Amino acid sequence: MNLFVIGSGTFGTAISNELARDKDNNITIYSRSTEIVNEINNKKTNKKYFANSKLMDSLKCTLEFVDIRQADIIFIALPSSVILEVINNFKEYISSDQLIVNLSKGIFKNGQTIVDCLNETLKTNNIVSLKGPSFAVEIMQRANTLLTLGYNDERQYNIIKRIFKKTRIHIDATLDIRGVEILSVIKNIYALLMGIVDAKYNSPNTRFMFMTKVFSEIRALNNEFGGDLDTVFLSCGLGDVGMTALNDLSRNRTLGLLIGKGFYNPNSNDSTVIVEGVKSINIIFDLIDASLKNQLSLLSRLHDFFNSNSKNFSINFNQLFN
């Protein structure tokens, strides 16, 4: 099959390289960078993101939008902030016969997920969501990885299973596309919170006291935004929350560690993690009603902190847990 991956960053490159292990997958990566296109095509490296990794010889890279016409399957691996801009450049070349796989994470101010926006922009429902606990560097190192596929029909499921069959990426699945999308956003919020907790207390007792509350709030938010409860127990739920919240390779957890240690500067614009993290917290908080906010003490505390211009995150245990 012909696969086209929009995005030559860490995850786009990593998943392309793993899919290329199967010789039946013919993969082209799209990049806006002439340097990256030339490097992947001529040297089979992408040193900006993987300094010490050699890419599969079969991988190709392009600058041309029109090349997407040859694809059977299109993967989107872009920051949420640029998705609509980039997809608008491609939309005249995309047909409803092409299966679109969203790897990107984000939610918009009106409550739309990325899949919702893609449905609207591209006028197609032939779109699935693929998310789960997966650091790109580990995919490049060929670690066995489990992702959740949110899909609409069996044809989509069978296609995705087939292209990953000879890779080390494994699939669990659900018809709950919205739940897969929502969980990929809210897990980053709570990963940030757990970084703060571990930095401030360094206590297993306290860590898992908070983790219990974290899963309670995630369940409530997933339900509020229309996700199924069962989806929380898939790779995109428990797996992704656990990995992102408790592993130091997570950028959101790392930001939480900096906050907990008092190194956070609320006036800094240097970190895209800060910008995206705060954006997600504010959007989610603004979309829920007052009665639910009262039940989500951890989310409310994070929202108040990031909107107070404070450097110090304080926790009142009696207010949060009683």
Side-chain angles (χ1 to χ4, degrees):
M1 281 195 169
N2 293 326
L3 281 57
F4 192 94
V5 180
I6 306 175
S8 60
T10 52
F11 205 77
T13 301
I15 203 162
S16 297
N17 198 60
E18 184 61 19
L19 283 164
R21 304 277 177 181
D22 185 342
K23 293 180 181 179
D24 292 330
N25 294 331
N26 177 35
I27 300 166
T28 301
I29 302 172
Y30 167 80
S31 177
R32 293 189 288 184
S33 166
T34 302
E35 290 183 1
I36 289 178
V37 170
N38 291 335
E39 182 184 350
I40 291 176
N41 287 334
N42 299 324
K43 299 180 180 179
K44 302 304 176 187
T45 59
N46 188 350
K47 291 188 177 297
K48 179 178 180 180
Y49 299 105
F50 298 102
N52 301 311
S53 296
K54 190 77 172 177
L55 303 179
M56 297 294 291
D57 287 341
S58 61
L59 281 180
K60 301 183 293 292
C61 197
T62 184
L63 288 163
E64 302 298 327
F65 300 134
V66 70
D67 289 345
I68 203 169
R69 281 181 168 164
Q70 308 304 316
D72 301 300
I73 306 170
I74 299 164
F75 287 82
I76 299 174
L78 296 167
S80 60
S81 57
V82 303
I83 278 184
L84 291 182
E85 173 194 345
V86 175
I87 293 302
N88 275 320
N89 291 326
F90 278 105
K91 68 180 182 180
E92 66 179 286
Y93 307 110
I94 296 174
S95 76
S96 59
D97 292 331
Q98 295 169 303
L99 176 60
I100 297 167
V101 183
N102 178 42
L103 303 172
S104 301
K105 301 168 184 177
I107 189 168
F108 298 95
K109 289 183 179 180
N110 60 1
Q112 282 190 318
T113 65
I114 291 173
V115 167
D116 292 332
C117 287
L118 292 173
N119 288 147
E120 188 175 284
T121 303
L122 299 174
K123 312 300 182 188
T124 177
N125 290 317
N126 198 13
I127 302 174
V128 299
S129 180
L130 191 62
K131 310 283 171 59
S134 51
F135 293 129
V137 64
E138 293 231 317
I139 290 176
M140 284 295 289
Q141 294 168 353
R142 306 221 66 209
N144 281 289
T145 301
L146 180 64
L147 302 179
T148 298
L149 175 70
Y151 68 101
N152 291 302
D153 59 57
E154 287 298 315
R155 180 190 62 85
Q156 295 170 337
Y157 173 77
N158 290 332
I159 289 172
I160 297 301
K161 286 286 286 186
R162 182 160 74 249
I163 64 173
F164 282 105
K165 186 175 182 179
K166 297 179 182 178
T167 74
R168 292 186 181 173
I169 295 175
H170 311 281
I171 304 293
D172 63 14
T174 175
L175 293 170
D176 178 26
I177 293 179
R178 185 163 182 82
V180 175
E181 289 281 293
I182 290 297
L183 287 167
S184 73
V185 176
I186 59 180
K187 59 97 178 181
N188 285 328
I189 295 172
Y190 290 98
L192 194 160
L193 184 280
M194 289 308 302
I196 297 172
V197 169
D198 282 350
K200 289 181 74 70
Y201 301 106
N202 192 29
S203 161
N205 284 13
T206 306
R207 165 189 276 188
F208 287 100
M209 179 176 77
F210 274 92
M211 280 295 289
T212 302
K213 179 68 171 171
V214 161
F215 282 117
S216 176
E217 294 199 9
I218 286 174
R219 181 182 63 179
L221 283 169
N222 181 60
N223 180 69
E224 175 72 8
F225 285 95
D228 294 339
L229 176 60
D230 287 347
T231 309
V232 176
F233 297 95
L234 295 176
S235 177
C236 67
L238 289 177
D240 212 359
V241 174
M243 187 190 77
T244 311
L246 303 177
N247 192 295
D248 288 349
L249 285 175
S250 163
R251 296 186 304 160
N252 287 281
R253 172 179 165 81
T254 299
L255 173 57
L257 291 170
L258 293 174
I259 293 171
K261 292 175 181 177
F263 298 139
Y264 169 68
N265 179 0
N267 299 311
S268 172
N269 292 317
D270 294 338
S271 174
T272 56
V273 181
I274 293 174
V275 173
E276 288 299 314
V278 175
K279 180 181 175 183
S280 294
I281 291 167
N282 287 338
I283 289 175
I284 293 290
F285 195 80
D286 289 344
L287 287 169
I288 60 179
D289 61 33
S291 61
L292 184 57
K293 289 174 184 176
N294 292 334
Q295 300 173 41
L296 304 178
S297 53
L298 299 182
L299 177 65
S300 297
R301 182 66 194 93
L302 279 172
H303 177 266
D304 291 347
F305 170 75
F306 281 114
N307 289 278
S308 67
N309 208 37
S310 172
K311 293 183 179 180
N312 299 309
F313 188 99
S314 60
I315 296 175
N316 185 317
F317 285 83
N318 289 329
Q319 288 181 353
L320 291 178
F321 293 95
N322 295 324

